[in-house]
Amino acid sequence: MDTSSRNWRWARKAQLLVASALLLLQNSLVISAEASSVHIVYMGDKIYQNPQTTKRYHHKILSSLLGSKEAAKNSILYSYKHGFSGFAARLTKYQAEAIAKFPGVVSVIPNGIHKLHTTRSWDFIGIHHSTSKTSFSGSNLGEGTIIGVIDTGIWPESPSFNDEAMGQIPSRWKGVCQGGEHFNSSNCNKKIIGARWFMKGITDEAKKLLQGNNTSEYLSARDAVGHGTHTASTAAGYFVGNANYRGLASGLARGGAPLAHLAIYKACWDFPIGDCTDADILKAFDKAIHDGVDVLTVSLGFAIPLYSYIDQRDAIAIGSFHATAKGITVVCSAGNSGPLSQTVTNTAPWIITVGSTTIDRAFPATITLGNNRTVWGQSIDTGKHNLGSVGLTYSERIALDPSDNLAKDCQSGSLNATMAAGKIVLCFSLSDQQDIVSASLTVKEAGGVGLVYAQYHEDGLDQCGLFPCIKVDYEVGTQILTYVRRSRFPTASLSFPKTVIGKWISPRVASFSSRGPSSMSPTVLKPDIAAPGVDILAAFPPKGTSKSSGFAFLSGTSMSCPHVAGIAALIKSKHPTWSPAAIRSALVTTGESVGVNTLKLHLYI
């Protein structure tokens, strides 16, 4: 081979190397310019028993993708190393597609957002607990079990979390009481034995809101929303006498398993972009498995359409699968998209999915019309009003612009303030975009002194807080409207609500409770079971007001879920060797008909 030929070949190789380098540089510039987002690299069961070895394995995989240990360290958010294997990291679309092809990677999941599925109930379903300390030894109150709560945190000062008469913390417990804003180790006790919080999965924009002055959220396990406090006390709250909400539903409050311990996993936050991310939820599951909980209550989920189990993008299904495999009973809410069929969520076969029912308690309030006729509605507004008989009008009659329909359901700014001043206003709900609270704001701004809100039957009551608000159905609303149209000077007076128990004996599925069959697996019957979830009184943060009783009414399958979790803890306490499948079987296949209208639990606990 002559010299000129060799030189030509070396020159050609040099050109190819330069071209390859330029191509790689171009690709790297494109990748670096591409926005990264949180992805979950799910790897199934652990291949290493040592969590630190698993963590190093995750870093090694990420380093090989990103080119350096430093880049991997900056990218990774969580290493899932206790209950299953995987990690959450900030990746570009290109990087996510590349790592999905790595050996051992089951799937790469974009970081999705889950929504929260926002006392008499225990007596109603037949779970009776004595408050006498002398009878504790002969009763099953869930002693020795640990209920994990994946939610918005907890308000530890609530009397529902008093550790009086609580047993010693189980020796198997491996959890911690993680400190943070307005929360330290002293906030844990023998009732709240552990608390952790997770927020690495939420977006940078949301973090700025949380860390700024635009939110009341706490960067700790402390609950700013109230949802987690409510569900935790429903599942395992201690006895609290004379619990009530502004005088309504007064009585003895307690959870289903009053002597069970609580482990808190705050993965849901008070910000407008979303509630809970997949990355944080999976880390909560991972830590709960490590810590040693017996039962998990998870009152959150996706909306439809559902992800396929094969698709592997349902973080709750993945986390609950590995928890169940470790002997932990996982209870989830069914969703609040009823009464439409095929709207049930959390439908994985290994999850106990809970729908919502009513109980035998109501809060009736009277509307006395100027013709001395009395009609009934419901309310939880107990403010110090003394209206007597005042003017009554229909919102459409006092529309600011009669050419539109905004005044019919009292949309914001739709009422004539001169004509509304000093009167009770009747509004009719026309869409899902308006509710009694929003309508009350409109009436208040226009100078009204009370609201009667007519709507299609929907279970659950909301407090207006501004002035008297009474919810009625369309039939009663039409009767009131007929009086207004026929009377020259219509008037009305509104009474305070009162608590009535026992009039409505039979429970029925709540209007909002998501219905089956499952849109993913119609042959797998879901929900598995239903429990009280309408106007449930439970612990709630006082939120800086001296008038708060520390209890509030909430409705939703979120409230039903901890009822079943509490009962699961009772069964586990009595039968510690029973598997999640055995506990689920006991729940869904046993019951006892009492009388004509009631069906009460009759469990072997």
Side-chain angles (χ1 to χ4, degrees):
M1 183 180 294
D2 60 16
T3 305
S4 61
S5 177
R6 277 199 307 270
N7 291 340
W8 180 87
R9 290 189 177 185
W10 280 113
R12 180 61 177 164
K13 286 183 179 180
Q15 288 175 347
L16 290 173
L17 286 171
V18 170
S20 299
L22 288 172
L23 183 61
L24 287 170
L25 178 61
Q26 182 183 17
N27 287 339
S28 66
L29 289 172
V30 170
I31 292 170
S32 63
E34 184 183 348
S36 64
S37 58
V38 178
H39 289 75
I40 297 155
V41 181
Y42 175 56
M43 306 182 72
D45 284 329
K46 298 185 299 179
I47 59 174
Y48 302 109
Q49 291 304 312
N50 187 315
Q52 293 308 312
T53 304
T54 302
K55 184 177 180 179
R56 287 193 294 270
Y57 176 54
H58 296 159
H59 278 265
K60 182 179 179 181
I61 292 173
L62 197 54
S63 297
S64 66
L65 173 74
L66 301 181
S68 71
K69 292 181 179 180
E70 188 65 24
K73 183 180 178 181
N74 293 333
S75 172
I76 198 164
L77 302 177
Y78 293 123
S79 176
Y80 308 121
K81 54 186 184 291
H82 299 293
F84 50 95
S85 180
F87 54 90
R90 294 190 180 276
L91 303 172
T92 65
K93 182 181 177 182
Y94 174 86
Q95 291 165 346
E97 291 172 350
I99 203 169
K101 300 174 184 177
F102 278 38
V105 174
V106 177
S107 61
V108 178
I109 309 167
N111 189 33
I113 299 291
H114 293 255
K115 291 290 183 182
L116 298 165
H117 287 155
T118 245
T119 249
R120 168 69 186 163
S121 54
W122 293 111
D123 286 330
F124 180 66
I125 62 176
I127 303 296
H128 303 288
H129 295 316
S130 171
T131 60
S132 170
K133 295 181 179 61
T134 59
S135 66
F136 279 178
S137 60
S139 301
N140 179 17
L141 304 179
E143 186 170 4
T145 58
I146 303 170
I147 300 177
V149 185
I150 299 178
D151 214 297
T152 63
I154 197 164
W155 195 265
E157 291 82 7
S158 169
S160 293
F161 308 124
N162 179 3
D163 65 353
E164 181 184 0
M166 289 295 299
Q168 293 300 312
I169 297 173
S171 58
R172 68 182 186 280
W173 175 245
K174 299 178 183 177
V176 300
C177 191
Q178 182 181 356
E181 185 179 4
H182 299 296
F183 198 99
N184 56 46
S185 59
S186 67
N187 292 121
C188 292
N189 55 20
K190 288 187 291 184
K191 167 60 75 175
I192 305 171
I193 62 173
R196 298 181 187 267
W197 50 288
F198 312 94
M199 63 175 294
K200 292 180 180 179
I202 64 176
T203 63
D204 291 333
E205 291 79 8
K207 285 179 183 176
K208 290 176 183 177
L209 289 174
L210 289 173
Q211 294 167 353
N213 297 318
N214 300 319
T215 177
S216 59
E217 185 58 273
Y218 302 95
L219 299 183
S220 69
R222 184 171 290 277
D223 184 10
V225 178
H227 192 274
T229 299
H230 199 280
T231 56
S233 66
T234 301
Y238 191 66
F239 298 99
V240 180
N242 196 32
N244 66 88
Y245 177 74
R246 300 191 174 186
L248 294 174
S250 182
L252 180 70
R254 81 278 193 185
L259 294 188
H261 306 281
L262 284 168
I264 306 304
Y265 301 91
K266 181 176 178 177
C268 302
W269 298 83
D270 182 20
F271 58 94
I273 301 171
D275 294 317
C276 335
T277 71
D278 284 327
D280 294 332
I281 292 167
L282 276 175
K283 191 59 180 177
F285 270 108
D286 190 45
K287 283 296 188 181
I289 294 169
H290 165 268
D291 293 346
V293 304
D294 298 300
V295 178
L296 272 170
T297 177
V298 186
S299 290
L300 52 102
F302 272 126
I304 55 172
L306 305 179
Y307 287 117
S308 165
Y309 308 135
I310 299 174
D311 192 62
Q312 297 286 356
R313 277 194 285 181
D314 186 340
I316 295 177
I318 292 171
S320 61
F321 174 82
H322 290 285
T324 303
K326 298 295 190 296
I328 300 169
T329 301
V330 182
V331 186
C332 294
S333 48
N336 298 332
S337 299
L340 299 177
S341 64
Q342 296 185 321
T343 52
V344 62
T345 63
N346 293 322
T347 58
W350 48 88
I351 292 173
I352 300 176
T353 310
V354 188
S356 183
T357 67
T358 61
I359 61 174
D360 63 341
R361 183 177 64 197
F363 307 101
T366 60
I367 305 163
T368 303
L369 305 177
N371 60 3
N372 289 324
R373 183 179 180 185
T374 297
V375 293
W376 293 83
Q378 287 204 67
S379 175
I380 56 172
D381 279 286
T382 60
K384 296 180 180 179
H385 67 271
N386 187 17
L387 295 178
S389 183
V390 299
L392 171 67
T393 188
Y394 172 42
S395 58
E396 191 178 28
R397 285 189 166 189
I398 57 172
L400 195 62
D401 183 359
S403 65
D404 61 42
N405 290 324
L406 296 179
K408 283 187 177 180
D409 58 353
C410 296
Q411 296 283 341
S412 178
S414 64
L415 302 182
N416 185 312
T418 302
M419 302 175 72
K423 293 180 180 178
I424 297 168
V425 180
L426 169 66
C427 305
F428 277 75
S429 171
L430 299 179
S431 71
D432 294 336
Q433 304 304 313
Q434 183 70 324
D435 58 28
I436 191 171
V437 176
S438 299
S440 71
L441 291 171
T442 301
V443 173
K444 182 68 174 178
E445 289 171 357
V449 296
L451 170 67
V452 177
Y453 193 72
Q455 66 177 85
Y456 172 78
H457 171 76
E458 182 177 326
D459 291 306
L461 296 171
D462 294 307
Q463 181 204 10
C464 296
L466 303 171
F467 51 47
C469 291
I470 297 180
K471 184 173 79 171
V472 298
D473 59 24
Y474 282 141
E475 180 182 357
V476 172
T478 302
Q479 293 171 4
I480 298 171
L481 180 57
T482 300
Y483 162 71
V484 170
R485 286 172 171 167
R486 291 178 177 177
S487 175
R488 189 173 180 182
F489 300 107
T491 60
S493 62
L494 308 180
S495 76
F496 291 107
K498 59 181 181 179
T499 304
V500 175
I501 293 173
K503 186 175 181 180
W504 298 270
I505 298 176
S506 298
R508 51 181 171 76
V509 177
S511 60
F512 55 76
S513 185
S514 292
R515 266 60 167 181
S518 165
S519 59
M520 180 58 57
S521 307
T523 55
V524 178
L525 296 181
K526 291 287 180 173
D528 296 288
I529 194 170
V534 177
D535 298 326
I536 300 302
L537 183 73
F540 203 77
K543 293 191 173 181
T545 172
S546 59
K547 295 181 180 179
S548 174
S549 64
F551 288 83
F553 291 116
L554 291 181
S555 298
T557 54
S558 282
M559 286 61 253
S560 309
C561 177
H563 276 85
V564 175
I567 297 171
L570 296 181
I571 299 173
K572 187 69 174 179
S573 178
K574 183 70 173 179
H575 303 283
T577 62
W578 280 18
S579 67
I583 291 173
R584 176 181 175 276
S585 177
L587 282 167
V588 304
T589 63
T590 57
E592 180 181 6
S593 181
V594 181
V596 177
N597 293 315
T598 58
L599 180 67
K600 297 189 177 183
L601 287 173
H602 183 70
L603 299 171
Y604 300 100
I605 54 178

